[in-house]
Amino acid sequence: MEYMWKEYPPFRYSLSDSLLFESTTWYSYWHEVPERLFEYNPHLKFIFLVKNPIDRAYSQYNMLINWRKSQLLHEYELFSDKEQLNILLKKLLDTQNFPFSYWVNQEIEKIRNQENTPIDFFPDFLHRGFYYEQLERYYQFFPVENILVIEHRELKNNRISTVSNQ
């Protein structure tokens, strides 16, 4: 946790120090995170903002191809085979020869072959949209009332009513 707070300082919005909001979604995908968060504070509450999985996948792809390679290496530092990671990132940045459809087909093949370990799963554009798997891991440690799931369009189109009805 210390590394996370140092690397990604939380966005604070509160009249006191009792509320703390953190908006990173990247690590909610990793299998070990819910348990670590529980060990840190078993009373944490979460808001999961989910998006249409295809829209989410394409958004992630566009975000990654616009990053510098050094930033990509940092985000995928848990990837165990660094040589293979460098090859994949070079391909990712070569959008002419390796467009979004290439990565989707690669990932579908891995999913079919059940090559879905949390580390070394690259690309992970589709897999990160399997919200059920991610939420299930959180529900193992936190009660249902501590986890609020909101659909992206619902919040975008009806902000006031979405937030006030929760």
Side-chain angles (χ1 to χ4, degrees):
M1 284 305 277
E2 299 298 326
Y3 167 79
M4 186 187 80
W5 292 123
K6 186 176 124 190
E7 199 63 28
Y8 304 101
F11 167 71
R12 289 182 184 261
Y13 176 78
S14 177
L15 297 176
S16 70
D17 288 330
S18 63
L19 292 178
L20 178 69
F21 293 86
E22 204 285 320
S23 62
T24 303
T25 59
W26 198 256
Y27 57 76
S28 65
Y29 173 71
W30 299 106
H31 289 215
E32 65 276 4
V33 169
E35 183 175 10
R36 288 182 182 174
L37 289 170
F38 182 81
E39 289 170 1
Y40 174 74
N41 181 349
H43 305 289
L44 288 172
K45 294 189 178 193
F46 303 90
I47 299 172
F48 278 87
L49 188 62
V50 298
K51 191 175 192 176
N52 174 303
I54 300 302
D55 294 341
R56 197 222 60 76
Y58 193 62
S59 176
Q60 180 189 352
Y61 168 78
N62 281 305
M63 178 185 72
L64 294 182
I65 64 172
N66 287 299
W67 281 358
R68 297 181 315 275
K69 188 171 181 184
S70 62
Q71 193 172 3
L72 286 166
L73 286 169
H74 174 71
E75 291 299 327
Y76 284 95
E77 66 187 331
L78 294 176
F79 200 97
S80 61
D81 185 343
K82 300 300 185 205
E83 188 176 323
Q84 179 65 14
L85 176 61
N86 275 306
I87 292 167
L88 291 170
L89 294 180
K90 187 175 181 180
K91 284 183 178 181
L92 177 67
L93 298 173
D94 180 2
T95 58
Q96 292 289 85
N97 294 311
F98 302 98
F100 180 65
S101 59
Y102 168 83
W103 296 104
V104 167
N105 290 330
Q106 290 288 307
E107 189 169 0
I108 288 171
E109 192 61 33
K110 281 187 170 192
I111 293 168
R112 280 187 183 142
N113 294 329
Q114 297 182 340
E115 298 172 30
N116 59 349
T117 57
I119 296 178
D120 295 350
F121 196 80
F122 186 96
D124 55 9
F125 304 128
L126 300 178
H127 207 246
R128 285 182 181 269
F130 294 176
Y131 300 121
Y132 170 79
E133 292 177 2
Q134 295 172 47
L135 288 167
E136 183 178 48
R137 290 191 292 271
Y138 280 80
Y139 288 130
Q140 289 175 5
F141 295 95
F142 298 95
V144 172
E145 57 271 11
N146 285 24
I147 301 172
L148 173 63
V149 180
I150 300 175
E151 201 279 324
H152 170 263
R153 286 179 310 213
E154 184 182 345
L155 183 63
K156 183 178 178 182
N157 296 335
N158 305 304
R159 286 186 187 156
I160 303 295
S161 64
T162 300
V163 174
S164 63
N165 289 336
Q166 304 306 323

